[in-house]
mmCIF file of all heavy atoms in Angstrom:
data_model
loop_
_atom_site.group_PDB
_atom_site.id
_atom_site.type_symbol
_atom_site.label_atom_id
_atom_site.label_comp_id
_atom_site.label_asym_id
_atom_site.label_seq_id
_atom_site.Cartn_x
_atom_site.Cartn_y
_atom_site.Cartn_z
ATOM 1 N N ARG A 1346 77.745 147.164 100.411
ATOM 2 C CA ARG A 1346 76.318 146.862 100.645
ATOM 3 C C ARG A 1346 76.064 145.360 100.572
ATOM 4 O O ARG A 1346 75.362 144.800 101.423
ATOM 5 C CB ARG A 1346 75.445 147.569 99.594
ATOM 6 C CG ARG A 1346 75.316 149.069 99.803
ATOM 7 C CD ARG A 1346 74.394 149.658 98.737
ATOM 8 N NE ARG A 1346 74.295 151.108 98.864
ATOM 9 C CZ ARG A 1346 73.641 151.885 98.002
ATOM 10 N NH1 ARG A 1346 73.044 151.349 96.938
ATOM 11 N NH2 ARG A 1346 73.591 153.189 98.188
ATOM 12 N N ASP A 1347 76.616 144.714 99.548
ATOM 13 C CA ASP A 1347 76.430 143.262 99.400
ATOM 14 C C ASP A 1347 76.912 142.523 100.641
ATOM 15 O O ASP A 1347 76.233 141.624 101.150
ATOM 16 C CB ASP A 1347 77.224 142.731 98.194
ATOM 17 C CG ASP A 1347 76.542 143.035 96.857
ATOM 18 O OD1 ASP A 1347 75.358 143.445 96.872
ATOM 19 O OD2 ASP A 1347 77.204 142.858 95.812
ATOM 20 N N LEU A 1348 78.092 142.900 101.121
ATOM 21 C CA LEU A 1348 78.672 142.207 102.276
ATOM 22 C C LEU A 1348 77.786 142.363 103.507
ATOM 23 O O LEU A 1348 77.581 141.417 104.269
ATOM 24 C CB LEU A 1348 80.082 142.739 102.562
ATOM 25 C CG LEU A 1348 81.176 142.339 101.546
ATOM 26 C CD1 LEU A 1348 82.427 143.193 101.729
ATOM 27 C CD2 LEU A 1348 81.520 140.858 101.669
ATOM 28 N N VAL A 1349 77.241 143.567 103.694
ATOM 29 C CA VAL A 1349 76.384 143.811 104.863
ATOM 30 C C VAL A 1349 75.050 143.070 104.719
ATOM 31 O O VAL A 1349 74.538 142.489 105.678
ATOM 32 C CB VAL A 1349 76.166 145.328 105.082
ATOM 33 C CG1 VAL A 1349 75.134 145.582 106.180
ATOM 34 C CG2 VAL A 1349 77.481 146.016 105.450
ATOM 35 N N ASN A 1350 74.500 143.062 103.519
ATOM 36 C CA ASN A 1350 73.204 142.414 103.294
ATOM 37 C C ASN A 1350 73.270 140.892 103.354
ATOM 38 O O ASN A 1350 72.283 140.228 103.656
ATOM 39 C CB ASN A 1350 72.643 142.828 101.928
ATOM 40 C CG ASN A 1350 72.139 144.264 101.911
ATOM 41 O OD1 ASN A 1350 71.639 144.764 102.925
ATOM 42 N ND2 ASN A 1350 72.285 144.940 100.787
ATOM 43 N N GLU A 1351 74.430 140.348 103.039
ATOM 44 C CA GLU A 1351 74.597 138.893 102.974
ATOM 45 C C GLU A 1351 74.333 138.267 104.349
ATOM 46 O O GLU A 1351 74.797 138.772 105.363
ATOM 47 C CB GLU A 1351 76.028 138.596 102.530
ATOM 48 C CG GLU A 1351 76.283 137.214 101.995
ATOM 49 C CD GLU A 1351 75.638 136.953 100.633
ATOM 50 O OE1 GLU A 1351 75.983 137.635 99.655
ATOM 51 O OE2 GLU A 1351 74.784 136.053 100.588
ATOM 52 N N PRO A 1352 73.569 137.166 104.404
ATOM 53 C CA PRO A 1352 73.308 136.551 105.719
ATOM 54 C C PRO A 1352 74.559 135.873 106.275
ATOM 55 O O PRO A 1352 75.460 135.478 105.526
ATOM 56 C CB PRO A 1352 72.219 135.526 105.414
ATOM 57 C CG PRO A 1352 72.397 135.195 103.978
ATOM 58 C CD PRO A 1352 72.885 136.457 103.321
ATOM 59 N N ALA A 1353 74.580 135.702 107.600
ATOM 60 C CA ALA A 1353 75.781 135.203 108.267
ATOM 61 C C ALA A 1353 76.017 133.716 108.010
ATOM 62 O O ALA A 1353 77.144 133.241 108.137
ATOM 63 C CB ALA A 1353 75.702 135.480 109.768
ATOM 64 N N ASN A 1354 74.971 132.963 107.655
ATOM 65 C CA ASN A 1354 75.233 131.552 107.341
ATOM 66 C C ASN A 1354 76.052 131.421 106.057
ATOM 67 O O ASN A 1354 76.778 130.448 105.866
ATOM 68 C CB ASN A 1354 73.926 130.746 107.230
ATOM 69 C CG ASN A 1354 73.000 131.245 106.132
ATOM 70 O OD1 ASN A 1354 72.968 132.433 105.841
ATOM 71 N ND2 ASN A 1354 72.252 130.348 105.524
ATOM 72 N N VAL A 1355 75.945 132.413 105.196
ATOM 73 C CA VAL A 1355 76.703 132.405 103.944
ATOM 74 C C VAL A 1355 78.055 133.102 104.116
ATOM 75 O O VAL A 1355 79.063 132.677 103.574
ATOM 76 C CB VAL A 1355 75.880 133.100 102.822
ATOM 77 C CG1 VAL A 1355 76.693 133.231 101.547
ATOM 78 C CG2 VAL A 1355 74.593 132.325 102.564
ATOM 79 N N LEU A 1356 78.039 134.202 104.879
ATOM 80 C CA LEU A 1356 79.253 134.998 105.024
ATOM 81 C C LEU A 1356 79.841 134.867 106.427
ATOM 82 O O LEU A 1356 79.541 135.662 107.314
ATOM 83 C CB LEU A 1356 78.970 136.468 104.705
ATOM 84 C CG LEU A 1356 80.204 137.338 104.510
ATOM 85 C CD1 LEU A 1356 80.801 137.152 103.125
ATOM 86 C CD2 LEU A 1356 79.881 138.814 104.738
ATOM 87 N N GLY A 1357 80.664 133.854 106.638
ATOM 88 C CA GLY A 1357 81.414 133.722 107.883
ATOM 89 C C GLY A 1357 82.770 134.373 107.714
ATOM 90 O O GLY A 1357 83.074 134.930 106.652
ATOM 91 N N PRO A 1358 83.614 134.320 108.746
ATOM 92 C CA PRO A 1358 84.941 134.939 108.653
ATOM 93 C C PRO A 1358 85.767 134.421 107.468
ATOM 94 O O PRO A 1358 86.414 135.205 106.773
ATOM 95 C CB PRO A 1358 85.600 134.548 109.984
ATOM 96 C CG PRO A 1358 84.460 134.349 110.925
ATOM 97 C CD PRO A 1358 83.349 133.778 110.098
ATOM 98 N N VAL A 1359 85.722 133.127 107.227
ATOM 99 C CA VAL A 1359 86.517 132.542 106.147
ATOM 100 C C VAL A 1359 86.007 133.017 104.779
ATOM 101 O O VAL A 1359 86.785 133.384 103.898
ATOM 102 C CB VAL A 1359 86.492 130.991 106.243
ATOM 103 C CG1 VAL A 1359 87.110 130.352 105.005
ATOM 104 C CG2 VAL A 1359 87.215 130.548 107.510
ATOM 105 N N GLU A 1360 84.682 133.049 104.645
ATOM 106 C CA GLU A 1360 84.089 133.466 103.374
ATOM 107 C C GLU A 1360 84.332 134.960 103.124
ATOM 108 O O GLU A 1360 84.589 135.382 101.991
ATOM 109 C CB GLU A 1360 82.583 133.176 103.376
ATOM 110 C CG GLU A 1360 82.225 131.685 103.389
ATOM 111 C CD GLU A 1360 82.330 131.049 104.774
ATOM 112 O OE1 GLU A 1360 82.498 131.782 105.780
ATOM 113 O OE2 GLU A 1360 82.250 129.804 104.857
ATOM 114 N N PHE A 1361 84.236 135.749 104.182
ATOM 115 C CA PHE A 1361 84.497 137.186 104.055
ATOM 116 C C PHE A 1361 85.946 137.394 103.606
ATOM 117 O O PHE A 1361 86.234 138.183 102.687
ATOM 118 C CB PHE A 1361 84.230 137.882 105.397
ATOM 119 C CG PHE A 1361 84.123 139.393 105.319
ATOM 120 C CD1 PHE A 1361 83.122 140.069 106.020
ATOM 121 C CD2 PHE A 1361 85.004 140.146 104.557
ATOM 122 C CE1 PHE A 1361 83.007 141.449 105.965
ATOM 123 C CE2 PHE A 1361 84.901 141.536 104.487
ATOM 124 C CZ PHE A 1361 83.906 142.180 105.197
ATOM 125 N N ALA A 1362 86.861 136.671 104.238
ATOM 126 C CA ALA A 1362 88.276 136.804 103.871
ATOM 127 C C ALA A 1362 88.490 136.453 102.395
ATOM 128 O O ALA A 1362 89.271 137.107 101.691
ATOM 129 C CB ALA A 1362 89.134 135.914 104.765
#
Side-chain angles (χ1 to χ4, degrees):
R1346 286 182 183 175
D1347 283 348
L1348 288 166
V1349 173
N1350 287 327
E1351 198 70 62
N1354 61 328
V1355 174
L1356 193 79
V1359 170
E1360 293 80 10
F1361 195 137

